[in-house]
Amino acid sequence: MFRPLSLFIGLRYSRAKRRNHFISFISGVSIICLALSVAALITVMSVMNGFDYQLRSRILGAVSHATISGVGESIQNWRHAVQVAKDDSRVLGAAPYVEQQAFLQGSEPSGALVRGILPMQEPKVSDFDKHMQNGSLSSLQPGKWNIVLGDELATMLGVTVGDKVIVYAPRFRTGPMGAMPMLRAFRVSGIFALGMEQYDSGLALMNMHDAEKLYGLKGPNGIRLRLKNLYQAQAVASHIRVELGQVYRVQTWMQSNENLFKALATEKKVMFLILVLIVLVAVINLVSMLVMLVTDKQADIAILRTLGLAPRSVMGVFMVQGLFVGIVGILIGTIGGVLLAINVPAIAEWIEHVFHVRFLSPDVYYISELPSRLSWSDVGWVTGTAFVLSLLATLYPARRAARTEPAQALRYE
C-alpha cells in the first residue's frame, strides 16, 4: 500500500477525470488566476525595482553620496579637508567643487547650474565620464576656458562641440557704463547625457579654477564624497565634519532626494498589497473548487471513513488536492513571471515600435525606457506568500470533509 494514504488518494483525485465538469472548470480557473497573479506580482515588483535602481544610479551619477560645504562662500584649506575625508576607510573618493547658477548665451539663451570640477578627481565621485557623447572631461584644463554641457542644454543653446558659449555670472563689477555682470566666453569641449532631464537640460561643467575666477571665489564651495555603502552617508559625513573641527554643513543624497525615494518605496508597497489582493481572489476560487469537490465526493469520503480512514487523513486528502492545484499555478506563474520580468524592456520596446506609442516620455519622466530588475528575494517572497495562502485555503474544505458522517452521506446511496 502506498504511504501515506492521504497523499496517494489526493494525487489520484488530481489525476482522475471528474464526473462534474464544472469542478474541473473551477479548478482550471483557480490555476490560471493563481498563475496570472503570481506572474503579475513578480513582474510589477521587478519593474519597481528597475525604477528604483535606475533612479538611484542616475541621480547618484550626478549627485554625490554626501556633500560637505562651508558656511561661507568657500572652504578654506580644502586640500586638508579632502585628505581627512580620504582617510576614512568608508570613503571611496572625495573631490572639491564650485557650484553656482549662471546665465548661458549660445545661439539661444538659457539658465543653468554651473559646476566647477577637477577633471582628474571628478570620476571618483560621479559618472559624467561614463556618459560623454562627445569630448571628454579631461578637456577641462585650467585656463583653457572650456565647458561641458548636458545634451539637452546644448540643444536649447543651439551649440555643439567647438562652438562658443558666453557665461554670465551673478556677480557685478563697476565700469564706465555702470554695474556690469561678469561674463566670459567658453568653448564647448564636450557633451554628456545622463539620461535624466533635470541634469541633461540644466547642468554645465567647467574647470574648478576657471569657476573660481569667474565667480570671484578663493576656494571650492564644498567637497563631494562617494562611499562604499551609500546608506552610511549621514554617519560618514557627520564623522568627517567632527574631524575637521570647524563649522561645516553636511547634506546627504537621502536628504536631497528623500521625498522621491520615499514615494517610490511607498508605491512599491502599495502595488505589492494590491497584487496580494489579486492572489487572494485566486485563492478564493481555490476554496470554492475544494468545497464543490468535497460535496461531490461525499460518498467516497463516507466509504473511506467506513474502511477506517481517520478524519485527519481525510483532511490530508483534500489538502493535498488543494496544494496540488496551488503548486501548479504558482509554478506556472513563477516561470512566466521570471521570463516576463527579464524581457520587459524588449517587450515594451516592441509594443512602442508596433503601435507607435511611448510609455515614458523623456519630457515628463526621469527615465525614458521601461526598466526591470529581477530580485530573487522578491520571487521568494511572492511564491512563499502564494503557497501559504494556498495552504490556508485548503483548511476549511478539508475540515468540512473530515466532519462527514458516513451514515448520513450513504443514506441515499
Side-chain angles (χ1 to χ4, degrees):
M1 178 66 69
F2 185 89
R3 301 291 182 181
L5 185 59
S6 56
L7 177 62
F8 172 74
I9 297 174
L11 292 176
R12 185 176 179 84
Y13 278 171
S14 301
R15 296 194 307 269
K17 294 182 178 180
R18 299 183 180 90
R19 292 171 298 173
N20 192 330
H21 294 289
F22 184 69
I23 296 177
S24 299
F25 173 75
I26 294 297
S27 178
V29 169
S30 299
I31 291 175
I32 294 172
C33 289
L34 198 55
L36 290 176
S37 58
V38 169
L41 191 51
I42 291 174
T43 304
V44 170
M45 295 292 285
S46 298
V47 171
M48 296 302 296
N49 289 337
F51 272 110
D52 184 75
Y53 175 78
Q54 289 291 337
L55 283 174
R56 288 180 191 274
S57 60
R58 294 190 183 193
I59 288 176
L60 295 177
V63 178
S64 56
H65 294 173
T67 300
I68 302 175
S69 55
V71 176
E73 288 188 341
S74 60
I75 293 181
Q76 303 300 321
N77 197 10
W78 63 268
R79 290 182 175 82
H80 170 69
V82 169
Q83 188 58 49
V84 169
K86 289 181 177 179
D87 289 340
D88 193 311
S89 59
R90 296 169 293 182
V91 176
L92 288 176
Y97 71 95
V98 169
E99 196 167 81
Q100 294 280 355
Q101 293 288 341
F103 182 78
L104 281 64
Q105 176 72 56
S107 299
E108 299 291 336
S110 178
L113 181 67
V114 174
R115 181 181 296 170
I117 63 172
L118 296 179
M120 297 303 293
Q121 296 189 33
E122 187 64 20
K124 299 177 182 178
V125 297
S126 72
D127 296 332
F128 287 108
D129 60 317
K130 300 177 182 177
H131 297 278
M132 297 297 298
Q133 286 188 337
N134 293 294
S136 65
L137 289 183
S138 61
S139 63
L140 300 178
Q141 298 301 316
K144 297 292 186 180
W145 304 104
N146 289 331
I147 192 168
V148 171
L149 306 174
D151 60 340
E152 294 186 27
L153 178 59
T155 301
M156 288 189 293
L157 292 172
V159 297
T160 185
V161 173
D163 292 341
K164 294 289 184 179
V165 170
I166 307 265
V167 178
Y168 295 83
R171 173 172 167 249
F172 293 88
R173 60 182 176 181
T174 303
M177 302 296 293
M180 298 290 293
M182 287 291 297
L183 58 91
R184 180 76 194 196
F186 285 79
R187 186 182 70 88
V188 179
S189 62
I191 294 176
F192 66 83
L194 280 177
M196 294 193 67
E197 194 270 342
Q198 177 182 354
Y199 300 108
D200 291 342
S201 65
L203 183 63
L205 305 176
M206 64 176 62
N207 186 273
M208 189 182 76
H209 299 298
D210 292 346
E212 290 174 0
K213 294 177 182 178
L214 180 66
Y215 292 107
L217 301 175
K218 296 181 180 180
N221 295 132
I223 300 168
R224 305 170 66 226
L225 307 178
R226 171 167 285 183
L227 311 178
K228 293 180 181 178
N229 184 349
L230 58 89
Y231 295 103
Q232 294 180 338
Q234 185 63 50
V236 173
S238 299
H239 170 74
I240 293 174
R241 180 180 57 186
V242 172
E243 288 292 317
L244 290 174
Q246 299 180 35
V247 180
Y248 287 90
R249 183 174 63 240
V250 179
Q251 187 176 33
T252 68
W253 67 273
M254 290 179 285
Q255 293 171 327
S256 56
N257 300 279
E258 182 179 12
N259 292 334
L260 175 62
F261 289 114
K262 278 187 176 180
L264 194 63
T266 301
E267 185 176 356
K268 183 177 178 181
K269 293 176 182 177
V270 171
M271 290 300 298
F272 180 81
L273 291 176
I274 291 174
L275 291 170
V276 166
L277 292 177
I278 297 176
V279 176
L280 284 174
V281 172
V283 169
I284 291 172
N285 286 332
L286 181 59
V287 174
S288 302
M289 183 272 294
L290 287 175
V291 169
M292 292 180 182
L293 180 63
V294 169
T295 303
D296 187 58
K297 297 294 184 181
Q298 286 287 316
D300 293 354
I301 297 170
I303 294 172
L304 291 172
R305 290 291 309 279
T306 303
L307 294 174
L309 191 65
R312 181 174 297 180
S313 298
V314 174
M315 283 189 63
V317 169
F318 291 95
M319 289 181 69
V320 168
Q321 170 73 5
L323 284 176
F324 177 81
V325 172
I327 289 173
V328 170
I330 293 170
L331 184 62
I332 295 173
T334 301
I335 295 173
V338 169
L339 293 175
L340 188 59
I342 293 174
N343 294 284
V344 159
I347 295 173
E349 184 179 355
W350 179 81
I351 293 175
E352 289 179 341
H353 177 73
V354 172
F355 296 99
H356 305 288
V357 297
R358 191 68 184 267
F359 290 121
L360 300 173
S361 173
D363 298 333
V364 179
Y365 301 98
Y366 283 105
I367 300 172
S368 58
E369 297 177 354
L370 192 65
S372 179
R373 186 176 177 85
L374 182 66
S375 171
W376 291 108
S377 61
D378 286 343
V379 174
W381 273 106
V382 171
T383 54
T385 301
F387 178 79
V388 170
L389 291 175
S390 299
L391 177 62
L392 294 175
T394 65
L395 294 180
Y396 170 73
R399 290 186 62 183
R400 180 175 174 179
R403 290 197 298 266
T404 299
E405 295 295 336
Q408 292 181 349
L410 295 174
R411 178 178 299 176
Y412 301 107
E413 293 292 330

